[in-house]
């Protein structure tokens, strides 16, 4: 797969107005959950988690960890 990092499976985005802004990439679902909790407490907002392997936004609470 060209252009897809094999190290980072998830990207965190923050919803701003009618779009999403990339925040950072994380390696696994456990790291994603921890980071989303940290981000939500320090900078509240509507965060989305993009699963690069499935090419879709996912709910981190629905994912196995």
């Amino acid at each position: 797969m060209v252009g897809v990092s094999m190290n980072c499976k998830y990207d965190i985005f923050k919803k701003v107005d009618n779009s999403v802004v990339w925040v950072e990439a994380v390696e696994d679902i456990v790291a994603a959950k921890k980071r989303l909790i940290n981000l939500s407490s320090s900078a509240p907002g509507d965060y989305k988690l993009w699963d690069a392997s499935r090419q879709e936004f996912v709910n981190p609470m629905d994912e196995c960890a």
Side-chain angles (χ1 to χ4, degrees):
M1 285 187 251
V2 175
V4 175
S5 171
M6 297 310 288
N7 293 333
C8 294
K9 183 178 176 185
Y10 297 96
D11 288 289
I12 297 173
F13 290 86
K14 182 175 184 179
K15 189 171 180 185
V16 178
D17 298 323
N18 291 328
S19 63
V20 290
V21 177
W22 183 83
V23 177
E24 66 187 74
V26 293
E27 293 181 24
D28 57 46
I29 194 65
V30 173
K33 287 180 183 182
K34 288 178 182 177
R35 191 64 183 125
L36 286 169
I37 290 168
N38 183 271
L39 286 167
S40 294
S41 66
S42 64
D46 185 10
Y47 292 93
K48 303 292 182 191
L49 187 62
W50 177 260
D51 183 335
S53 67
R54 296 188 334 205
Q55 295 291 298
E56 65 184 9
F57 285 103
V58 296
N59 181 340
M61 299 309 156
D62 290 345
E63 302 297 306
C64 296

